[in-house]
Amino acid sequence: MQVADQVTRTLRRPLLALAENDRVEGLMRRNGVSKGLVRRFVAGEDLDTAIAAVRSLADQSITSTLDLLGENVETPDAARAAVAAYVVILDHLAAAGLEPNISVKLTMVGLDAGPDVARVNMVPILERAREVGGFVRIDMEGSAYTEVTVAITEALHDRFPDQVGTVIQSYLRRSADDIERMIRRGARVRLVKGAYAEPAEIAFTDRREVDESYRRLMLRLLDAGAYPALATHDADLIAAARHYTAERGITPDRYEFQMLYGVRREMQRSLVEAGYRMRVYVPYGTEWYPYFTRRIAERPANALFVLRQLVSR
Ligand code: FDA
């Protein structure tokens, strides 16, 4: 396990750098490198396939949050197209009798053009979510966007208190304060460890510190948060949550576990069988490359598999 951790730490930064490398992306796409592995983490390229995946999870009593892959759009038209696509997704989920729950990245709806652009673009998505009884989670991106994402969530939460929440990353040193900001206003938090490469001045870089921070923030959310989402595949942290909630009489309908599509599927099922709520993050679309690279960077076995495929070509 220690060797695996060391390999992950060593490979993580270079692999995350690849997420921004157009040439490597072209190579991966052209050669269809690791197509099977992409399929494991990404539900498909179109909405119908993604909805079929959501339905299949629902058949196993697992709820979903749908993510249309894409980030850092470069034009107002692309941002508007993403907004329209998200409204369609909410409609299709509702029409299919599935819970309309989506995850949105603010850079997909124009954040790079300015905070007001992204905030205004979120409004039609949230209005539709309200109409269909849905929920919109604002994903958390790299640290350049943390403050603006928290601030936009606050502004939107004033207007849409039941429709919007965000994500807090335990690897960031600032996160205890952000959790308190969300607790004060009763906004829902999804707690994650964090998936980007961040500098030591602002982030814990030691794995144990990240895990310890996760544990602290998790317990705080379980005590005082609004329906927290504990998004992790870490068996120790999940056991700690189960232990803490059982001890305090916090019933399983007051929070949920979340995991990524294709990761630890058996654990997803066994938690449901044990009576816990489980939601799976289901990404789909053609813009899978940065998301896929982040998943690869998280686990040495995945990374080594991809490297072997690249070298053998
Ligand atoms: P950790 O990385 O320690 O993994 C624990 C164990 O889980 C590993 O030992 C391995 O067995 C298994 N595992 C983890 N990742 C795997 C993978 N890719 N393939 C196979 N096995 C794997 N991040 C972010 O910065 N912003 C966000 O908005 C989100 N949103 C989000 C939603 C949901 C529902 C989840 C589950 C996660 C995110 N994340 C995220 C990603 C998160 O920050 C983190 O990178 C991953 O969840 C991996 O961290 P773990 O907590 O699972 O622990």
Side-chain angles (χ1 to χ4, degrees), residues 140 169 193-195 207 232-233 264 295 298-299 302:
M140 188 56 80
Q169 299 153 325
K193 288 189 188 176
R207 219 185 159 81
T232 181
H233 315 92
R264 294 231 148 152
R295 300 294 77 79
E298 272 154 15
R299 199 163 175 248
N302 296 342

Side-chain angles (χ1 to χ4, degrees), residues 47 51 55 87-100 132:
L47 181 55
I51 286 191
R55 190 178 294 289
V87 170
V88 168
I89 296 170
L90 287 167
D91 282 343
H92 277 237
L93 284 168
L98 296 161
E99 186 191 337
V132 297

